[in-house]
Amino acid sequence: MRLVIARCSVDYTGRLTAHLPLATRLLVHKGDGSLLVHSDGGSYKPLNWMSPPCRLDVEVPDADSAAAGVLEHWRVTHAKTGDALLVRIYEVLHDSSHELGIDPGLQKDGVEADLQRLLAEQVDVIGDGLTLVRREFPTAIGPVDLLLRDPAGGTIAVEVKRRGDIDGVEQLTRYLELLGRDPHLAPVTGVFAAQEIKPQAKVLAADRGIRCVTLDYEGMKGIESGAPRLF
C-alpha cells in the first residue's frame, strides 16, 4: 500500500463527472489497484475513489498544467467501464509504501455471525436447489461469507450483513470481480443478504446486477438443521 499526502486536484469522468479543487489530501493506492482520495474530515469515507480492476499511470503534465505548478498527473482508468480519475499533483508532503500482507478479514460477532451460520444451514432462503460450497471462502482481499452452487453449476457469492448499506454492496462487488476471474467458479453472481437493506443499497445492488434478500432472523432461529426449535 502506498500512502501519499499531497496538494492536489481531482477530476472524475465517466458515468458522472466530479471535481475536487486544489487542497491537501491523502491518496491511498492499494495493492489491488484501487485509489482512494481522503480529506481530514468527512468520517471514514473517501471523497472520491476508483475500485478495481483498474490501472494507475503516472504522466508528465502538459505545458498548461506544468505552467500552473503541476508536478505530475496520476491517471487511474477502470478496466471495464473506462471511467477515469485524474489526480493533478502540485506538491508531495509525504510518500511511503508499506507491505501489509493478506488480511484475515473481519471477525463477525453477535447477530451478524449468527445470520451467516443460520443461512449456511438454510441456503434455500436464497433459492431452491442451492448447495453450500463453503463458509468464509478465502480470496486475496478477504473471505466471502458464503459460496453456493446453483443446479446449473453456476457460483453464487453471498455477503451477509445485519444492516445492509452501500459499503456492503461495494464490498460484494469487489469479491465478484475477483471471483469472476477464476474459470473454475465463473459465472459468478452475487446476493446481498441482510435483516434490513437501505434503499440506496438496493438501487446500487440492482445497478451492479446483485440480488437483495431480506432475512427474517427470528424465523431463521426457529429452524436449525431442518428441525423446529422451541427456544
Side-chain angles (χ1 to χ4, degrees):
M1 178 182 290
R2 184 182 179 189
L3 305 176
V4 176
I5 298 175
R7 293 182 63 249
C8 62
S9 65
V10 183
D11 288 279
Y12 191 102
T13 56
R15 288 170 291 183
L16 54 82
T17 59
H19 174 69
L20 293 172
L22 181 62
T24 301
R25 300 184 177 93
L26 169 64
L27 306 175
V28 180
H29 186 218
K30 294 186 177 182
D32 61 6
S34 60
L35 180 73
L36 298 89
V37 182
H38 285 274
S39 68
D40 201 18
S43 187
Y44 63 93
K45 292 186 177 181
L47 298 172
N48 215 325
W49 68 93
M50 184 68 76
S51 301
C54 58
R55 58 176 291 175
L56 186 153
D57 295 304
V58 179
E59 303 172 347
V60 176
D62 56 30
D64 290 339
S65 291
V70 177
L71 301 178
E72 60 185 21
H73 286 171
W74 288 14
R75 188 180 302 276
V76 187
T77 308
H78 196 277
K80 293 183 178 180
T81 66
D83 289 11
L85 195 68
L86 178 61
V87 183
R88 294 178 173 88
I89 306 291
Y90 288 79
E91 180 183 6
V92 176
L93 306 176
H94 171 86
D95 189 346
S96 63
S97 296
H98 309 270
E99 181 58 53
L100 303 186
I102 297 176
D103 193 277
L106 181 67
Q107 301 298 313
K108 310 291 184 180
D109 61 0
V111 173
E112 196 166 302
D114 288 340
L115 278 171
Q116 184 190 121
R117 175 180 57 81
L118 290 169
L119 192 56
E121 296 173 350
Q122 305 171 45
V123 294
D124 58 299
V125 172
I126 301 298
D128 295 334
L130 302 180
T131 56
L132 176 68
V133 175
R134 179 172 171 174
R135 289 179 59 187
E136 301 289 341
F137 185 86
T139 77
I141 57 174
V144 178
D145 288 339
L146 301 177
L147 199 71
L148 311 178
R149 285 283 190 188
D150 63 29
T155 307
I156 301 173
V158 184
E159 181 65 25
V160 182
K161 299 291 185 185
R162 187 161 62 96
R163 290 188 177 87
D165 57 19
I166 286 178
D167 288 344
V169 177
E170 292 283 7
Q171 181 182 358
L172 179 54
T173 299
R174 292 192 291 272
Y175 289 145
L176 292 173
E177 289 177 343
L178 190 63
L179 293 170
R181 302 175 197 171
D182 187 337
H184 299 291
L185 298 177
V188 184
T189 57
V191 171
F192 190 52
Q195 279 185 280
E196 174 189 349
I197 304 177
K198 294 182 178 179
Q200 299 94 328
K202 290 182 179 180
V203 172
L204 181 60
D207 182 67
R208 302 281 173 85
I210 295 171
R211 183 162 62 93
C212 291
V213 174
T214 302
L215 301 175
D216 179 3
Y217 180 52
E218 296 301 324
M220 293 172 69
K221 283 198 301 181
I223 301 177
E224 185 169 270
S225 300
R229 293 177 54 192
L230 297 178
F231 55 89

